[in-house]
Amino acid sequence: MRVELTVNGRARADEVEDRLLLIHYLREVCGLRAANVGCDTTSCGACTVLLDGQSVKSCTVLTAQAAGREVTTAEALASDAGLHPVQAAFQQEHGLQCGFCTPGMVMAAVGLLAENPHPTEAEVREGLEGNLCRCTGYHNIVRAVLTAAAAGPGGPASRGAGHDEHEVSA
Ligand code: FES
Ligand code: FES
């Protein structure tokens, strides 16, 4: 089937199999490798991208379901001006170690903050519960999302947010 959609701001039209999952379309057809495949059970969130601005696990979405819609992956977050505020906050707060979960975690955080720009710590933990990380213990990830929320659209660098700004329970 022919599918037309927008990926990271660029209109695309591709012939795909009806059963092609969005994660495989992004990685194998578009060559966008930020979103990862970490499971086959819809449980890890490593494949998280934005679909019309809402975070989705792209291993649970058929490419056909994205027809006519806008997909955003982690590749599109940074700009010539630098890292996206959420990326900058993850960097500042050491919200990653091996990095495998990070693109999905960041996209989930971007989606979360779009829906709720000023979440509580509990809301961040609840919002990211579908994204698993085997390395960090989540402490610094939660701190990073709270830092990004506190800093606003300009990101943590513009506000000079410090490492001790948030009290985050382990
Ligand atoms: S690859 Fe694990 S939830 Fe999609
Ligand atoms: S940083 Fe390694 S899985 Fe999250």
Side-chain angles (χ1 to χ4, degrees), residues 89-121:
F90 269 68
Q91 181 183 55
Q92 175 181 302
E93 303 296 347
H94 308 290
L96 65 147
Q97 290 183 27
C98 80
F100 187 83
C101 74
T102 308
M105 195 70 80
V106 166
M107 297 313 286
V110 170
L112 169 66
L113 294 179
E115 287 182 13
N116 180 3
H118 302 292
T120 63
E121 180 190 337

Side-chain angles (χ1 to χ4, degrees), residues 132-158:
L132 304 182
C133 175
R134 298 185 68 174
C135 303
T136 65
Y138 302 100
H139 183 77
N140 288 357
I141 290 174
V142 174
R143 186 188 295 271
V145 178
L146 292 172
T147 292
S158 69

Side-chain angles (χ1 to χ4, degrees), residues 2 6 10 21 30 38 48 69-70 75 147 156 164:
R2 178 181 172 86
T6 302
R10 295 182 62 181
L21 294 172
C30 302
T48 302
R69 304 174 73 180
E70 177 146 13
E75 281 94 341
T147 292
D164 297 322

Side-chain angles (χ1 to χ4, degrees), residues 23 36-48 57-60 130:
I23 181 64
N36 286 315
V37 180
C39 69
D40 57 6
T41 55
T42 318
S43 58
C44 77
C47 62
T48 302
K57 293 180 177 178
S58 59
C59 73
T60 69

Side-chain angles (χ1 to χ4, degrees), residues 71-97:
V71 179
T72 307
T73 72
E75 281 94 341
L77 291 185
S79 67
D80 291 343
L83 294 175
H84 183 281
V86 173
Q87 292 175 310
F90 269 68
Q91 181 183 55
Q92 175 181 302
E93 303 296 347
H94 308 290
L96 65 147
Q97 290 183 27

